[in-house]
Amino acid sequence: IRDRARRSLEKGAVTENYGGSVEQTVELLNEALATEIVCWLRYRFHAVTAQGINSEAVKAEFDEHAQEELEHANMIAARLPQLGDPPPFTHDGLTQRSSSQYVEGDSLVDMIEENLIAERIAIETYREMIRHFETHDSTTRRMLEEILATEEEHAEDMHDLLVAHQG
């Protein structure tokens, strides 16, 4: 182990027994990072622009979710350099890399629906990624499991708001 640890020091935390493709991992995490950034932007926009007699509680929920999406983006961004790749904090291709869409919505209910759709997309995407990393990258898998748990809470919150505001 000591001899192997001395080889390829330029790879940092990526050792010879990394079970997957670092390039594929970086690609998947770049997509996840883009998705989290798009979700953060959408939630922030909704938190600022939501209107109506019942909007204050919904705006507070949007704001809370925006903060959590930003935390997810920061977690993913911190993982990328551990794999030898800096996070792509540029707007170039952001929406193309994202699994989710940036949709503003015309009403409070539209905003809630768009956020619920985005959360459902994130849930499916993270579940697929977790299965992918299951046997060869426990660090990334655990990070994604933590993010998935929050995304499931977000979906439940958006569902509850949708029921409350749409009936």
Side-chain angles (χ1 to χ4, degrees):
I1 292 175
R2 288 181 184 152
D3 289 339
R4 284 195 316 262
R6 292 179 192 285
R7 291 192 295 259
S8 305
L9 293 177
E10 73 280 358
K11 292 184 179 180
V14 179
T15 60
E16 290 180 20
N17 69 350
Y18 183 81
S21 162
V22 173
E23 294 78 19
Q24 187 176 25
T25 299
V26 166
E27 182 180 327
L28 290 170
L29 291 180
N30 282 336
E31 291 172 13
L33 178 60
T35 299
E36 293 298 336
I37 291 170
V38 167
C39 288
W40 172 76
L41 288 169
R42 188 185 54 256
Y43 271 123
R44 282 302 314 139
F45 179 81
H46 291 167
V48 171
T49 62
Q51 296 179 1
I53 194 165
N54 298 317
S55 68
E56 289 309 310
V58 177
K59 288 168 80 166
E61 195 72 30
F62 289 162
D63 188 52
E64 178 183 329
H65 289 204
Q67 293 299 74
E68 291 170 342
E69 300 295 353
L70 186 57
E71 289 172 17
H72 297 165
N74 288 333
M75 292 168 65
I76 295 165
R79 179 69 177 134
L80 286 164
Q82 294 170 354
L83 297 165
D85 200 57
F89 280 127
T90 63
H91 70 282
D92 297 340
L94 181 67
T95 55
Q96 286 77 25
R97 285 191 314 269
S98 173
S99 300
S100 182
Q101 294 178 304
Y102 179 88
V103 179
E104 293 178 354
D106 295 325
S107 69
L108 192 61
V109 170
D110 287 346
M111 291 176 182
I112 295 167
E113 285 178 350
E114 289 303 326
N115 287 314
L116 178 55
I117 291 166
E119 296 297 353
R120 291 171 55 85
I121 290 169
I123 288 166
E124 285 198 26
T125 301
Y126 284 126
R127 283 187 184 144
E128 289 174 10
M129 290 174 71
I130 289 164
R131 281 191 288 275
H132 172 78
F133 291 116
E134 187 171 37
T135 59
H136 63 272
D137 187 339
S138 58
T139 302
T140 300
R141 178 185 45 79
R142 284 192 318 268
M143 176 189 69
L144 295 175
E145 287 172 341
E146 182 180 336
I147 293 171
L148 173 61
T150 306
E151 301 296 359
E152 288 175 339
E153 290 174 18
H154 289 179
E156 187 63 26
D157 292 343
M158 290 300 107
H159 176 263
D160 291 348
L161 286 172
L162 188 60
V163 169
H165 291 274
Q166 193 178 37

